[in-house]
Amino acid sequence: MTIPPLGIALAVFVGVVALVAGLSLSFRNPQAGRLETRLQQYAQSGPLWAKQLQPGSLLAEPLEEKPSLFEKFLSRFGNLSLLFEQADVAMTVPRLVLISGGLAVLGGLLALLLHWHGGLIPLGVLAGGSLPMLWILWRRKQRLNQFARQLPDAMEMLARALRAGQSLAAGFQLIASEMPAPLGKEFGRVFDEQKLGIPMEESLREMTQRVPNLDLKFFATAVILQRQTGGDLAEILDKIGRLIRERFQLWGQVQALTAEGRLSGVVLLALPILLFFAVYHLNRDYVMLLFTDPMGKKMLAGAIVMQILGAFVIKKIVNIQV
């Protein structure tokens, strides 16, 4: 199938315009205006936070915009807004769709320029369209791992601050000023919410939702129980910090023991794909039987299913929870 040059030029123009528009929207901060409006509403009202959080008031609404019908449809497949917040990216669902659509068009055009077979062009479209989501998931994973590595030092710093006679809120401010992001940013957000009158329990509960970390949940539970029943919070924090360090040590040993299995899984899963493209480059007609012959289509579908099952089994074997 030959595509006219005018069609290729038009598709390139649409893809580039969509990509540039999506990138320009990504660098904007849609939260700033709504945050200022919220703070202004809080300053003009009474001093009690309970009066400001009545149902239907401005302060009771989230900072994000009200979801559209399209966002409500996508929310059935997961909370994308929470995913953006966990990855610490200034992104919204329409922006993600716009950028993904632009990259999908560019991926399809690249496949056309490389003279791929018609059956392989959807792979280029899928690869280009999935890049933004893969980047967000990678950034989220890196941020959560960095938070987990910083948490033991934060627990020890907070325990020393409490032993020195400082309050819990002052300890949070100390962590926010001394610890780098992402942990310092999250604890600083809790401290700022305290200054606005939000209860400590609610701030900690929201932080555990933004950062799905089991050790952080232990910390939040310990703080809430200590505020309700009393006790030596500094000693509890020392034990939590020591427990986290021991878990990291055990996790490192597990990673060392399962390194061979994980590397074998990567090789076994990547080898068929690399071999396919190598044979496609050397003998295109030989590989095209998988797309033109009925038996070849069945073999290709079976290979894809077996690859997915193999990846699932290997992940279950080497992914040991600590």
Side-chain angles (χ1 to χ4, degrees):
M1 181 180 62
T2 304
I3 299 178
L6 181 60
I8 296 179
L10 182 61
V12 171
F13 174 76
V14 173
V16 172
V17 170
L19 180 61
V20 172
L23 292 177
S24 63
L25 289 175
S26 299
F27 289 103
R28 295 177 57 189
N29 187 6
Q31 303 278 350
R34 291 189 295 274
L35 180 58
E36 294 177 357
T37 304
R38 248 184 114 173
L39 293 176
Q40 184 180 5
Q41 178 74 13
Y42 184 87
Q44 294 175 354
S45 304
L48 297 179
W49 67 270
K51 295 181 179 179
Q52 317 305 321
L53 298 179
Q54 296 295 330
S57 65
L58 180 61
L59 294 177
E61 298 179 357
L63 291 177
E64 293 81 7
E65 296 178 352
K66 292 184 178 180
S68 60
L69 294 178
F70 182 69
E71 292 177 333
K72 291 180 180 179
F73 173 75
L74 291 180
S75 64
R76 298 172 181 263
F77 304 96
N79 192 344
L80 293 179
S81 299
L82 181 60
L83 179 64
F84 299 151
E85 195 169 8
Q86 292 174 352
D88 194 20
V89 294
M91 184 75 70
T92 60
V93 176
R95 293 180 187 177
L96 177 63
V97 174
L98 185 60
I99 296 176
S100 299
L103 291 177
V105 173
L106 292 180
L109 293 175
L110 181 62
L112 289 175
L113 294 177
L114 295 177
H115 302 289
W116 285 15
H117 187 267
L120 297 179
I121 293 179
L123 295 179
V125 174
L126 180 62
S130 61
L131 284 179
M133 181 57 69
L134 293 177
W135 176 76
I136 291 175
L137 293 176
W138 174 82
R139 182 178 174 88
R140 174 183 180 272
K141 182 179 179 180
Q142 295 296 320
R143 186 171 184 268
L144 294 181
N145 291 338
Q146 181 67 17
F147 187 96
R149 288 191 293 267
Q150 294 174 335
L151 192 56
D153 296 334
M155 296 296 98
E156 295 176 357
M157 183 182 299
L158 184 58
R160 291 195 296 267
L162 293 177
R163 289 194 177 96
Q166 297 185 8
S167 63
L168 184 61
F172 276 57
Q173 184 182 17
L174 178 63
I175 293 176
S177 60
E178 297 294 334
M179 298 290 294
L183 187 140
K185 181 178 180 180
E186 292 294 338
F187 276 77
R189 180 171 176 175
V190 174
F191 176 73
D192 292 337
E193 291 175 351
Q194 293 297 295
K195 293 191 297 184
L196 293 176
I198 299 177
M200 175 70 74
E201 291 80 2
E202 183 178 348
S203 299
L204 291 175
R205 183 166 55 251
E206 292 181 355
M207 183 171 64
T208 57
Q209 294 177 356
R210 295 192 303 268
V211 184
N213 184 283
L214 182 61
D215 299 317
L216 182 63
K217 292 182 179 180
F218 289 158
F219 163 73
T221 303
V223 171
I224 293 175
L225 290 178
Q226 191 272 340
R227 291 173 65 88
Q228 294 177 354
T229 62
D232 190 355
L233 182 59
E235 182 179 358
I236 297 176
L237 296 179
D238 285 335
K239 292 182 178 179
I240 293 177
R242 185 167 59 252
L243 175 63
I244 297 174
R245 294 187 185 279
E246 292 177 354
R247 288 182 59 188
F248 268 109
Q249 183 179 2
L250 180 60
W251 181 80
Q253 296 176 357
V254 171
Q255 290 295 103
L257 294 175
T258 59
E260 182 179 358
R262 288 184 283 109
L263 182 60
S264 300
V266 172
V267 172
L268 292 176
L269 294 176
L271 184 60
I273 301 175
L274 296 178
L275 184 61
F276 171 82
F277 284 103
V279 176
Y280 176 82
H281 179 72
L282 297 175
N283 192 349
R284 180 177 179 179
D285 296 334
Y286 181 77
V287 176
M288 285 302 103
L289 292 175
L290 295 174
F291 299 94
T292 58
D293 189 82
M295 181 58 68
K297 295 179 180 179
K298 295 179 181 179
M299 294 174 61
L300 182 60
I304 294 175
V305 172
M306 293 179 66
Q307 280 282 97
I308 296 175
L309 292 178
F312 179 76
V313 172
I314 293 175
K315 183 178 180 181
K316 284 294 183 181
I317 293 175
V318 301
N319 189 16
I320 300 176
Q321 298 294 334
V322 178

